[in-house]
Amino acid sequence: MKTNTKIALVTGGSRGLGKEMALQLAQSGIKVVVTYKSNKEAADETVNEIKEAGSDGFALALDTSRSATFDGFYEALQKSLKALWGVATFDILVNNAGIIAHSLAAETTEDTFDALQEVQLKGPYFLTQKSLPILNDGGRIINISTGLTRFSLPGYSAYAAMKAGIEAYTRYLAKELGGRQITANVVAPGAIDTDMNKDAMRNPKFVETISSVTALGRVGKPDDIAGVVTFLASDASKWVNGQRIEASGGMFL
């Protein structure tokens, strides 16, 4: 049976920021497909919580560092969409999956650079490209960047460079897909307490330092970011396009 309910695809949706995005999207009435790299149990738990929120969803494995697998991923996605919901397309792509690395520019290895590039730049670029035939007109592309493209903290040059590339890519997507009424925007979080940076967030001195340079006086939480993503996925954002929205609580103002 065909449904008018919107469908979102959230990469890296099994934990951290991605999980919170998936849950808030579900609470707004959107069906959600979450991807995971290896932790199927965590992804299944997220799907259960999506259903508890009154929506529906399922999980698919995806390694965003392996662009050669993207055709197969979308084939599997369409097969599941048809089987479960009677559709072959979706409406919202959230490129959230990512990794982080910390090393000074003088010490960054090519292996580290390449790993970041595969996941943070090449992966979202081609995953988005290959989504376009099955992304509905009037849809949404939401890319996750970082506050580190605006302000600089030593040790994140390679990571920030990849995210700066995604921000440029997003503006081009907005321009090139406007005829289809598809919007493309960036959400740039500041320091957020998630699994990805849990070691730093368990350091009271680090938390104190970040809080001191943030206008709202604290580090961010996943729901601080998920609300922005949910807005961009909604009809209320239909005139917001090609924009970078920083959600950092006012860091380094």
PDB file of all heavy atoms in Angstrom, residues 123-143:
ATOM      1  N   GLY A 123      32.514   9.663   0.631  1.00  0.00           N
ATOM      2  CA  GLY A 123      31.322   8.883   0.952  1.00  0.00           C
ATOM      3  C   GLY A 123      30.038   9.672   0.788  1.00  0.00           C
ATOM      4  O   GLY A 123      29.159   9.294   0.001  1.00  0.00           O
ATOM      5  N   PRO A 124      29.878  10.801   1.493  1.00  0.00           N
ATOM      6  CA  PRO A 124      28.656  11.591   1.330  1.00  0.00           C
ATOM      7  C   PRO A 124      28.445  12.096  -0.098  1.00  0.00           C
ATOM      8  O   PRO A 124      27.306  12.186  -0.573  1.00  0.00           O
ATOM      9  CB  PRO A 124      28.853  12.757   2.303  1.00  0.00           C
ATOM     10  CG  PRO A 124      29.791  12.230   3.334  1.00  0.00           C
ATOM     11  CD  PRO A 124      30.711  11.301   2.599  1.00  0.00           C
ATOM     12  N   TYR A 125      29.555  12.431  -0.776  1.00  0.00           N
ATOM     13  CA  TYR A 125      29.438  12.944  -2.147  1.00  0.00           C
ATOM     14  C   TYR A 125      28.746  11.909  -3.041  1.00  0.00           C
ATOM     15  O   TYR A 125      27.747  12.202  -3.710  1.00  0.00           O
ATOM     16  CB  TYR A 125      30.821  13.288  -2.695  1.00  0.00           C
ATOM     17  CG  TYR A 125      30.793  14.034  -4.011  1.00  0.00           C
ATOM     18  CD1 TYR A 125      31.064  15.400  -4.064  1.00  0.00           C
ATOM     19  CD2 TYR A 125      30.497  13.387  -5.207  1.00  0.00           C
ATOM     20  CE1 TYR A 125      31.034  16.090  -5.268  1.00  0.00           C
ATOM     21  CE2 TYR A 125      30.456  14.067  -6.408  1.00  0.00           C
ATOM     22  CZ  TYR A 125      30.734  15.422  -6.444  1.00  0.00           C
ATOM     23  OH  TYR A 125      30.689  16.106  -7.640  1.00  0.00           O
ATOM     24  N   PHE A 126      29.274  10.691  -3.041  1.00  0.00           N
ATOM     25  CA  PHE A 126      28.746   9.698  -3.966  1.00  0.00           C
ATOM     26  C   PHE A 126      27.488   9.003  -3.437  1.00  0.00           C
ATOM     27  O   PHE A 126      26.657   8.561  -4.234  1.00  0.00           O
ATOM     28  CB  PHE A 126      29.838   8.698  -4.345  1.00  0.00           C
ATOM     29  CG  PHE A 126      30.848   9.301  -5.279  1.00  0.00           C
ATOM     30  CD1 PHE A 126      32.082   9.716  -4.816  1.00  0.00           C
ATOM     31  CD2 PHE A 126      30.531   9.514  -6.609  1.00  0.00           C
ATOM     32  CE1 PHE A 126      33.000  10.316  -5.669  1.00  0.00           C
ATOM     33  CE2 PHE A 126      31.438  10.104  -7.475  1.00  0.00           C
ATOM     34  CZ  PHE A 126      32.674  10.517  -7.005  1.00  0.00           C
ATOM     35  N   LEU A 127      27.324   8.935  -2.131  1.00  0.00           N
ATOM     36  CA  LEU A 127      26.069   8.400  -1.607  1.00  0.00           C
ATOM     37  C   LEU A 127      24.920   9.321  -2.001  1.00  0.00           C
ATOM     38  O   LEU A 127      23.839   8.865  -2.372  1.00  0.00           O
ATOM     39  CB  LEU A 127      26.137   8.261  -0.089  1.00  0.00           C
ATOM     40  CG  LEU A 127      24.997   7.460   0.528  1.00  0.00           C
ATOM     41  CD1 LEU A 127      25.116   5.980   0.177  1.00  0.00           C
ATOM     42  CD2 LEU A 127      24.967   7.626   2.043  1.00  0.00           C
ATOM     43  N   THR A 128      25.157  10.618  -1.945  1.00  0.00           N
ATOM     44  CA  THR A 128      24.145  11.581  -2.376  1.00  0.00           C
ATOM     45  C   THR A 128      23.910  11.481  -3.876  1.00  0.00           C
ATOM     46  O   THR A 128      22.762  11.437  -4.341  1.00  0.00           O
ATOM     47  CB  THR A 128      24.567  13.002  -1.999  1.00  0.00           C
ATOM     48  OG1 THR A 128      24.777  13.079  -0.588  1.00  0.00           O
ATOM     49  CG2 THR A 128      23.508  14.014  -2.413  1.00  0.00           C
ATOM     50  N   GLN A 129      24.989  11.456  -4.636  1.00  0.00           N
ATOM     51  CA  GLN A 129      24.858  11.356  -6.095  1.00  0.00           C
ATOM     52  C   GLN A 129      23.990  10.164  -6.495  1.00  0.00           C
ATOM     53  O   GLN A 129      23.084  10.271  -7.323  1.00  0.00           O
ATOM     54  CB  GLN A 129      26.239  11.212  -6.729  1.00  0.00           C
ATOM     55  CG  GLN A 129      26.224  11.084  -8.243  1.00  0.00           C
ATOM     56  CD  GLN A 129      27.527  10.516  -8.784  1.00  0.00           C
ATOM     57  OE1 GLN A 129      27.791   9.327  -8.675  1.00  0.00           O
ATOM     58  NE2 GLN A 129      28.368  11.387  -9.332  1.00  0.00           N
ATOM     59  N   LYS A 130      24.262   9.024  -5.874  1.00  0.00           N
ATOM     60  CA  LYS A 130      23.554   7.804  -6.255  1.00  0.00           C
ATOM     61  C   LYS A 130      22.140   7.741  -5.681  1.00  0.00           C
ATOM     62  O   LYS A 130      21.337   6.894  -6.087  1.00  0.00           O
ATOM     63  CB  LYS A 130      24.381   6.579  -5.849  1.00  0.00           C
ATOM     64  CG  LYS A 130      25.658   6.438  -6.675  1.00  0.00           C
ATOM     65  CD  LYS A 130      26.487   5.245  -6.257  1.00  0.00           C
ATOM     66  CE  LYS A 130      27.754   5.150  -7.114  1.00  0.00           C
ATOM     67  NZ  LYS A 130      27.436   4.868  -8.539  1.00  0.00           N
ATOM     68  N   SER A 131      21.829   8.644  -4.756  1.00  0.00           N
ATOM     69  CA  SER A 131      20.464   8.696  -4.219  1.00  0.00           C
ATOM     70  C   SER A 131      19.512   9.444  -5.148  1.00  0.00           C
ATOM     71  O   SER A 131      18.289   9.276  -5.039  1.00  0.00           O
ATOM     72  CB  SER A 131      20.455   9.394  -2.852  1.00  0.00           C
ATOM     73  OG  SER A 131      20.548  10.819  -2.991  1.00  0.00           O
ATOM     74  N   LEU A 132      20.056  10.284  -6.018  1.00  0.00           N
ATOM     75  CA  LEU A 132      19.211  11.235  -6.745  1.00  0.00           C
ATOM     76  C   LEU A 132      18.120  10.600  -7.600  1.00  0.00           C
ATOM     77  O   LEU A 132      17.009  11.145  -7.671  1.00  0.00           O
ATOM     78  CB  LEU A 132      20.087  12.163  -7.581  1.00  0.00           C
ATOM     79  CG  LEU A 132      21.045  13.048  -6.767  1.00  0.00           C
ATOM     80  CD1 LEU A 132      21.880  13.924  -7.692  1.00  0.00           C
ATOM     81  CD2 LEU A 132      20.284  13.897  -5.756  1.00  0.00           C
ATOM     82  N   PRO A 133      18.354   9.446  -8.225  1.00  0.00           N
ATOM     83  CA  PRO A 133      17.258   8.847  -8.995  1.00  0.00           C
ATOM     84  C   PRO A 133      16.074   8.398  -8.147  1.00  0.00           C
ATOM     85  O   PRO A 133      14.957   8.276  -8.657  1.00  0.00           O
ATOM     86  CB  PRO A 133      17.931   7.643  -9.676  1.00  0.00           C
ATOM     87  CG  PRO A 133      19.379   7.993  -9.727  1.00  0.00           C
ATOM     88  CD  PRO A 133      19.632   8.742  -8.459  1.00  0.00           C
ATOM     89  N   ILE A 134      16.294   8.149  -6.847  1.00  0.00           N
ATOM     90  CA  ILE A 134      15.187   7.674  -6.019  1.00  0.00           C
ATOM     91  C   ILE A 134      14.852   8.640  -4.881  1.00  0.00           C
ATOM     92  O   ILE A 134      14.079   8.301  -3.988  1.00  0.00           O
ATOM     93  CB  ILE A 134      15.460   6.261  -5.464  1.00  0.00           C
ATOM     94  CG1 ILE A 134      16.693   6.233  -4.557  1.00  0.00           C
ATOM     95  CG2 ILE A 134      15.587   5.260  -6.587  1.00  0.00           C
ATOM     96  CD1 ILE A 134      16.841   4.911  -3.800  1.00  0.00           C
ATOM     97  N   LEU A 135      15.421   9.838  -4.919  1.00  0.00           N
ATOM     98  CA  LEU A 135      15.050  10.884  -3.971  1.00  0.00           C
ATOM     99  C   LEU A 135      13.914  11.692  -4.583  1.00  0.00           C
ATOM    100  O   LEU A 135      14.043  12.225  -5.685  1.00  0.00           O
ATOM    101  CB  LEU A 135      16.243  11.783  -3.669  1.00  0.00           C
ATOM    102  CG  LEU A 135      16.040  12.862  -2.600  1.00  0.00           C
ATOM    103  CD1 LEU A 135      15.826  12.230  -1.230  1.00  0.00           C
ATOM    104  CD2 LEU A 135      17.248  13.803  -2.565  1.00  0.00           C
ATOM    105  N   ASN A 136      12.816  11.780  -3.894  1.00  0.00           N
ATOM    106  CA  ASN A 136      11.630  12.425  -4.451  1.00  0.00           C
ATOM    107  C   ASN A 136      11.847  13.912  -4.702  1.00  0.00           C
ATOM    108  O   ASN A 136      12.562  14.590  -3.954  1.00  0.00           O
ATOM    109  CB  ASN A 136      10.444  12.258  -3.504  1.00  0.00           C
ATOM    110  CG  ASN A 136       9.896  10.844  -3.507  1.00  0.00           C
ATOM    111  OD1 ASN A 136       9.873  10.177  -4.538  1.00  0.00           O
ATOM    112  ND2 ASN A 136       9.451  10.375  -2.346  1.00  0.00           N
ATOM    113  N   ASP A 137      11.229  14.423  -5.757  1.00  0.00           N
ATOM    114  CA  ASP A 137      11.182  15.867  -5.963  1.00  0.00           C
ATOM    115  C   ASP A 137      10.555  16.512  -4.732  1.00  0.00           C
ATOM    116  O   ASP A 137       9.622  15.972  -4.136  1.00  0.00           O
ATOM    117  CB  ASP A 137      10.347  16.205  -7.198  1.00  0.00           C
ATOM    118  CG  ASP A 137      11.024  15.784  -8.502  1.00  0.00           C
ATOM    119  OD1 ASP A 137      12.188  15.329  -8.463  1.00  0.00           O
ATOM    120  OD2 ASP A 137      10.372  15.906  -9.559  1.00  0.00           O
ATOM    121  N   GLY A 138      11.080  17.690  -4.352  1.00  0.00           N
ATOM    122  CA  GLY A 138      10.624  18.323  -3.129  1.00  0.00           C
ATOM    123  C   GLY A 138      11.283  17.769  -1.887  1.00  0.00           C
ATOM    124  O   GLY A 138      10.880  18.095  -0.766  1.00  0.00           O
ATOM    125  N   GLY A 139      12.301  16.938  -2.087  1.00  0.00           N
ATOM    126  CA  GLY A 139      12.965  16.287  -0.965  1.00  0.00           C
ATOM    127  C   GLY A 139      13.980  17.181  -0.266  1.00  0.00           C
ATOM    128  O   GLY A 139      14.118  18.372  -0.559  1.00  0.00           O
ATOM    129  N   ARG A 140      14.696  16.591   0.667  1.00  0.00           N
ATOM    130  CA  ARG A 140      15.661  17.306   1.492  1.00  0.00           C
ATOM    131  C   ARG A 140      16.984  16.543   1.545  1.00  0.00           C
ATOM    132  O   ARG A 140      16.992  15.321   1.733  1.00  0.00           O
ATOM    133  CB  ARG A 140      15.145  17.459   2.929  1.00  0.00           C
ATOM    134  CG  ARG A 140      13.790  18.141   3.061  1.00  0.00           C
ATOM    135  CD  ARG A 140      13.935  19.652   2.914  1.00  0.00           C
ATOM    136  NE  ARG A 140      12.699  20.340   3.233  1.00  0.00           N
ATOM    137  CZ  ARG A 140      11.770  20.658   2.344  1.00  0.00           C
ATOM    138  NH1 ARG A 140      11.939  20.316   1.073  1.00  0.00           N
ATOM    139  NH2 ARG A 140      10.675  21.315   2.694  1.00  0.00           N
ATOM    140  N   ILE A 141      18.082  17.270   1.417  1.00  0.00           N
ATOM    141  CA  ILE A 141      19.412  16.733   1.678  1.00  0.00           C
ATOM    142  C   ILE A 141      19.991  17.537   2.831  1.00  0.00           C
ATOM    143  O   ILE A 141      20.058  18.771   2.762  1.00  0.00           O
ATOM    144  CB  ILE A 141      20.319  16.824   0.448  1.00  0.00           C
ATOM    145  CG1 ILE A 141      19.749  15.997  -0.713  1.00  0.00           C
ATOM    146  CG2 ILE A 141      21.744  16.356   0.794  1.00  0.00           C
ATOM    147  CD1 ILE A 141      20.441  16.250  -2.040  1.00  0.00           C
ATOM    148  N   ILE A 142      20.369  16.854   3.885  1.00  0.00           N
ATOM    149  CA  ILE A 142      20.897  17.515   5.079  1.00  0.00           C
ATOM    150  C   ILE A 142      22.264  16.916   5.382  1.00  0.00           C
ATOM    151  O   ILE A 142      22.371  15.725   5.706  1.00  0.00           O
ATOM    152  CB  ILE A 142      19.946  17.336   6.283  1.00  0.00           C
ATOM    153  CG1 ILE A 142      18.545  17.849   5.937  1.00  0.00           C
ATOM    154  CG2 ILE A 142      20.506  18.067   7.508  1.00  0.00           C
ATOM    155  CD1 ILE A 142      17.476  17.431   6.927  1.00  0.00           C
ATOM    156  N   ASN A 143      23.288  17.721   5.248  1.00  0.00           N
ATOM    157  CA  ASN A 143      24.650  17.266   5.486  1.00  0.00           C
ATOM    158  C   ASN A 143      25.157  17.782   6.823  1.00  0.00           C
ATOM    159  O   ASN A 143      24.910  18.941   7.180  1.00  0.00           O
ATOM    160  CB  ASN A 143      25.572  17.730   4.355  1.00  0.00           C
ATOM    161  CG  ASN A 143      25.255  17.053   3.039  1.00  0.00           C
ATOM    162  OD1 ASN A 143      24.894  15.877   3.022  1.00  0.00           O
ATOM    163  ND2 ASN A 143      25.389  17.772   1.935  1.00  0.00           N
TER     164      ASN A 143
END
